[in-house]
Structures are given as C-alpha cells and as structure tokens.
Amino acid sequence: MPRVAPRLLKKALKAHSLLPLLLPACRSIEQSAQEFRWIRNELPNMKQVRQACLQRFKLVPLQYILGNQPFGELDIVCRPGVLIPRWETEEWVCELSERLLGSMGPLNSPFPIWDLCCGTGCVGLLLQRRLGPGCSLTAVDVTDAALGLCVENAHRNDLERPRLIATDVLTKKIVPDSRISLLTCNPPYIPKNQFAADTSPSVKRHEPQLALIGDLEFYSSLVNTWIHHTDSFVYEVGDRRQIEYVMHGIRDDPRLQLEWCVGYRLDSSGCPRVVYGYKAESSLAGALSGYGDLLYIPPGAGK
Amino acid sequence: MQGIRWLSYTRVHLIKKHKLPPRPKFTPSLESQCEEKFLHGGRGPGGQKINKCNSKVQLKHLPTGIVVECQQTRSRDQNRKIAREKLALEIERANTPGQSGTIREKALQQWHQQSKKSKERKAKGKHEQHRQERELQELEKLKQEQDIIKSMMGS
Ligand SMILES: C[S@@+](CC[C@H](N)C(=O)[O-])C[C@H]1O[C@@H](n2cnc3c(N)ncnc32)[C@H](O)[C@@H]1O
C-alpha cells in the first residue's frame, strides 16, 4: 500500500470520514474529493458509497466499481477480467475518426474495420459510431470475457453488433474474407521485465496480465502477416522501440517498402503512443498523412 | 398592459423568462481562436501501465488570454463541452462593462427579484401553482449556473 502522509490524512478526514480511504489511490486531497463526488453522484445510497470507498482503498479501479468508463461519446461497460480503456487510447481514436470523417465524409462505400485485441471493444465501437453504418466492424480477442463485453457495449450504445472472432491474433490461421480498410490494435505492450517495476499497483493487482504483458510479437505479426490484408493500420505502442520495430519491418522489406508510408504519434503527455501506416496509393492517404509525423515514405510517392 | 406592471408609481418593463438574453454561445470561430490542452497530472509512463480516471481539459482563448479548466466529469468529451461553455461565459463577462455579471446574469437576477415580489402578491390559484413550479425549475437552473460560476472561481 503506498504510504500517505498523516497530514494529508487529517485534512481528508476533516472533509469527510470516507475521504481518507480514497487517498492511496488518488494521492491528493483534490483528486480524492473529485472522485468522492463522482462516487456519490453515481451510487444510490450511502451504504454503497461506503462499499465503493472501501474497495477503492484496496486500489480496485474506479471503473470496475462504478461499472463503466466514458470513451468519446460512448459509455463503455467495464468489468474485472477485461482491461479498462485508457485516455491515451480515447485520444488517438477520437483524432483518427475526426481525420477520417474530415477527408472522406460519412462513408457510403463499404469500409471494413478489424479491431484486434478488442477488449471492451472501445476502439472499434467508437469508430463505428463516428463513421456511421458504412463501416462494418470485426472484433478479435483471445478471451471470451472481452468478446462478451464487446457485444454488450455495442448493444448498450445502440450500435450494430460487430462480428466476433475468438482467436489468438499471433497465429497465422485467420485469413480475412475480404480486404480490410482499417486495422486497429491496442496490443498488450508492457515488456515482462518492466511490468513489476513500472506498472502502477492498482493495474498490477486488478487488471488482467494477459491484456498488459507483451512486446514486439504483436508488431511482428503486423509486419509479417496482418499488413498483407489491409490498406492501413493504427497500432498503439508503449515506447519508441516498438514504433521503430514496425518502421524497420516495413522499410527493410522489399515489397512493403515500395508501397507503405509509416508514421507515429505522441499523446498529449508527450509519450510515443501510436504507430500507423497506409498504402501511399490508398484512398486513406489524404486522411492519414497528417495524423502524426511520417517516418518513412516509399520512393516516388508524393506527400 | 401585458408585460407592464405598476411598481411604486414607476412603470417597469418586466423581464420575461423566455425572452432572456441567450446564454453565450461557443461559436466555431471561437474554436479557431483557442488552444486546448489535456492535463493528466505528471509525466510518468502512462498508457497501459497506469489507469487514470481524471482528464482535465484546459482551454485558452488566445486573443484575450482567458483560460478555463474543467475536470468536472469522468468524460473527457463532456469536460471539453463544459470547458467551452465556461469560456464563452467568461468572454462575455469580460466584454460586459461593470463587474456584476453578463447581461444574461443581470436579467436573471432581475427576473428572480421580480418573481419573488409577484409571488408575495399573487393568490395561489391552480394556474399560479403551475407557474411556480416552472419558476422553481428556472431557479434551480439559475442556481446551477451560479454554481458553475462559483466552481470556476474556486478552481
Ligand atoms: C491492452 S488490451 C486492449 C483492449 C482494448 N482494445 C482497449 O484499447 O482498451 C489487450 C487485449 O488483447 C487481448 N489479447 C492478448 N493477447 C492476445 C492474443 N494473442 N490474441 C488476441 N487477443 C489477445 C487481451 O485479452 C486484451 O483484451
């Protein structure tokens, strides 16, 4: 349990008898008070508020306690066993959808999106909401808990039920039945040797390791397999190394280097957050070229 | 004599609730004059390694330098909208001479006083009751608005 200064505890106690319980998770009085307001607003009675604060004291994520997390204009149901959507993800998905809409308008030709490692489904579902019924979503995850939640979230947000595929995306077994327009993926990207030291206690204790621990294997399956089925991709990353891995994988491949542009994006805290790519000839080039900073452009391709 | 009432020998034009000056709007042209920042507290690793439920939006109106912040809700989307409402209000206030609030706020205050007086005066017919309910709702809204302003001053 992270230590909390006694001075802070006293101050919190003055504000409300339950507030000290939130300090270990929130760290500051202001943040604790904020969370306390949310808890009070969303739970019907004091008994449940108390329960919630006690759980929070054990560092259970607020989203598991309250049962949801806003994601763009979607309300995403969250449950233990499935990773909670992060603001960094929300940020790049929002920006991506705005770019796509801005350059293509509401879709009228079919636009197949595959969201790998879908978890709650937040990425694919927000794209579906924003791009409209023209896009058809296929959601892939290895756990049934995630796929179940993804359907529930489609339903909760009045979206068409996505097609679900329960499989390991690292095997080469799935061959998409038609060409993918946009491939998105937020794979587990915390290297095993960083997990213990760098991951926050709440995440370590309460979120599924299967959704968190991973490294280059997902980016390797992108450049070796998935890329051949799609016109564009957007993958979340945890560090610069993962971006460079994808960039090299494309630049050093005799076929891919002729067709693909690769770029990256920082999140609003300044951390490397996304590696993306598109075929220079594809109709998405206009929308995606300015999405981040380009790292590689095939010879002969104009900007 | 609609809309006019005699008050201590002075003729006063009544404020009509539905004819209040509108809430200041955040226009697309304002949007282009703003710089938006998202503050998530500290640098640190982020991403999957940590799960923060707060997202503070900071909006700066570059021509006037007015800055507002919002982290009222758990939704970044909502916070962005609220920040825009706050900023529109602040800009309007800055543009209103004197310091006692925007034209709308003054009108609301006046309306509030006027309806208090009329409440004292009038008998409680059924019609009246309805009207009062509506009034209460309006007052509630007014209070909410004042709360927003207060919380703005506070944070
Ligand atoms: C970081 S979470 C992302 C969830 C969601 N897309 C989001 O952004 O919040 C990674 C997800 O990948 C799934 N996963 C892990 N390994 C996988 C694999 N080999 N094949 C398919 N899915 C996998 C996990 O079950 C988890 O739901």
Side-chain angles (χ1 to χ4, degrees):
Chain A
M1 184 70 42
R3 236 183 74 83
V4 173
R7 186 183 50 82
L8 267 188
L9 273 178
K10 266 192 210 145
K11 210 170 147 197
L13 202 58
K14 255 194 204 156
H16 194 283
S17 62
L18 292 173
L19 210 60
L21 292 176
L22 302 182
L23 271 175
C26 298
R27 311 304 298 158
S28 74
I29 298 270
E30 293 70 32
Q31 207 48 55
S32 306
Q34 175 78 273
E35 245 192 64
F36 192 57
R37 271 197 294 277
W38 291 333
I39 293 174
R40 281 237 285 227
N41 283 344
E42 291 185 39
L43 296 178
N45 57 52
M46 232 23 220
K47 194 174 158 210
Q48 284 188 40
V49 169
R50 213 189 136 72
Q51 277 301 321
C53 292
L54 285 169
Q55 280 185 286
R56 203 64 182 113
F57 186 67
K58 295 182 193 148
L59 302 181
V60 176
L62 185 66
Q63 297 93 333
Y64 287 156
I65 299 171
L66 298 179
N68 71 337
Q69 167 67 35
F71 192 84
E73 56 275 29
L74 302 185
D75 179 30
I76 296 292
V77 181
C78 296
R79 218 171 277 137
V82 182
L83 188 103
I84 295 159
R86 303 291 197 259
W87 68 261
E88 289 92 339
T89 309
E90 179 183 24
E91 185 172 276
W92 70 252
V93 178
C94 286
E95 191 85 8
L96 177 65
S97 65
E98 274 160 32
R99 292 215 147 250
L100 292 174
L101 268 183
S103 88
M104 306 189 300
L107 302 167
N108 27 37
S109 56
F111 192 82
I113 297 178
W114 282 52
D115 182 26
L116 308 184
C117 299
C118 69
T120 56
C122 55
V123 174
L125 293 174
L126 186 56
L127 290 170
Q128 200 184 338
R129 156 63 45 86
R130 296 211 169 166
L131 300 182
C135 74
S136 56
L137 177 61
T138 302
V140 185
D141 202 287
V142 75
T143 72
D144 290 334
L147 292 171
L149 205 51
C150 177
V151 174
E152 193 175 331
N153 278 318
H155 187 73
R156 148 101 63 139
N157 291 285
D158 295 321
L159 289 163
E160 201 178 306
R161 182 192 163 101
R163 180 167 61 154
L164 305 177
I165 300 180
T167 192
D168 177 347
V169 302
L170 300 176
T171 66
K172 292 181 186 165
K173 273 186 298 191
I174 353 165
V175 178
D177 43 5
S178 66
R179 204 158 174 78
I180 301 170
S181 294
L182 173 62
L183 178 70
T184 56
C185 179
N186 177 11
Y189 55 60
I190 306 177
K192 197 163 187 138
N193 60 0
Q194 291 177 17
F195 186 73
D198 291 3
T199 308
S200 82
S202 168
V203 173
K204 236 186 305 194
R205 218 174 289 176
H206 297 284
E207 291 192 273
Q209 290 198 5
L210 182 64
L212 297 163
I213 300 179
D215 200 359
L216 299 176
E217 63 273 22
F218 289 90
Y219 306 100
S220 152
S221 96
L222 165 65
V223 292
N224 290 315
T225 310
W226 285 99
I227 200 168
H228 301 297
H229 302 295
T230 187
D231 288 337
S232 67
F233 66 83
V234 180
Y235 269 51
E236 189 169 313
V237 299
D239 59 42
R240 203 168 284 281
R241 216 172 27 92
Q242 294 162 346
I243 295 173
E244 276 160 12
Y245 180 88
V246 173
M247 195 270 282
H248 286 130
I250 290 174
R251 201 191 57 189
D252 301 342
D253 181 280
R255 226 176 92 203
L256 297 176
Q257 64 176 213
L258 300 176
E259 298 190 296
W260 283 84
C261 298
V262 189
Y264 76 102
R265 258 181 75 87
L266 304 178
D267 63 32
S268 58
S269 292
C271 297
R273 195 51 69 206
V274 156
V275 61
Y276 68 99
Y278 53 93
K279 285 189 155 180
E281 300 298 319
S282 100
S283 57
L284 291 162
L288 290 177
S289 59
Y291 182 49
D293 290 320
L294 287 176
L295 292 168
Y296 176 76
I297 302 169
K303 283 212 177 175
Chain B
M1 286 283 283
Q2 280 239 315
I4 296 174
R5 188 186 291 151
W6 297 91
L7 285 177
S8 48
Y9 307 107
T10 355
R11 240 176 101 178
V12 176
H13 280 272
L14 287 184
I15 307 269
K16 291 273 183 86
K17 187 62 209 272
H18 63 282
K19 282 184 188 154
L20 276 175
R23 223 176 279 262
K25 279 235 159 55
F26 193 83
T27 57
S29 70
L30 271 181
E31 182 75 58
S32 63
Q33 299 173 347
C34 286
E35 182 185 81
E36 189 172 38
K37 276 194 190 146
F38 301 99
L39 310 169
H40 298 274
R43 290 235 137 196
Q48 290 164 10
K49 289 179 179 170
I50 187 163
N51 163 26
K52 289 190 179 159
C53 12
N54 61 314
S55 68
K56 188 190 277 185
V57 177
Q58 188 186 73
L59 203 60
K60 181 173 183 182
H61 185 237
L62 297 170
T64 58
I66 296 177
V67 178
V68 297
E69 287 185 348
C70 178
Q71 59 168 340
Q72 216 163 299
T73 74
R74 294 200 287 137
S75 154
R76 165 179 150 123
D77 203 46
Q78 258 334 93
N79 288 345
R80 291 183 73 189
K81 285 185 187 142
I82 297 170
R84 279 159 178 73
E85 279 168 23
K86 279 187 180 179
L87 187 62
L89 187 63
E90 279 297 321
I91 292 172
E92 168 109 354
R93 291 181 129 199
N95 288 338
T96 312
Q99 283 147 341
S100 48
T102 67
I103 301 171
R104 176 181 163 84
E105 286 167 327
K106 281 184 198 150
L108 269 167
Q109 259 170 24
Q110 223 172 316
W111 174 81
H112 179 36
Q113 279 168 4
Q114 151 197 309
S115 48
K116 229 161 90 185
K117 281 183 189 150
S118 86
K119 201 158 72 180
E120 286 159 11
R121 197 177 303 117
K122 283 195 182 167
K124 279 184 193 159
K126 210 175 184 180
H127 196 71
E128 172 67 0
Q129 206 174 330
H130 257 94
R131 210 185 58 79
Q132 282 191 2
E133 273 164 22
R134 270 207 313 272
E135 201 169 275
L136 272 178
Q137 284 167 7
E138 295 298 347
L139 276 179
E140 191 54 39
K141 270 190 214 151
L142 176 68
K143 204 180 139 315
Q144 276 171 9
E145 247 171 57
Q146 282 170 346
D147 283 348
I148 292 183
I149 295 161
K150 250 193 238 149
S151 75
M152 261 165 23
M153 316 273 272
S155 64

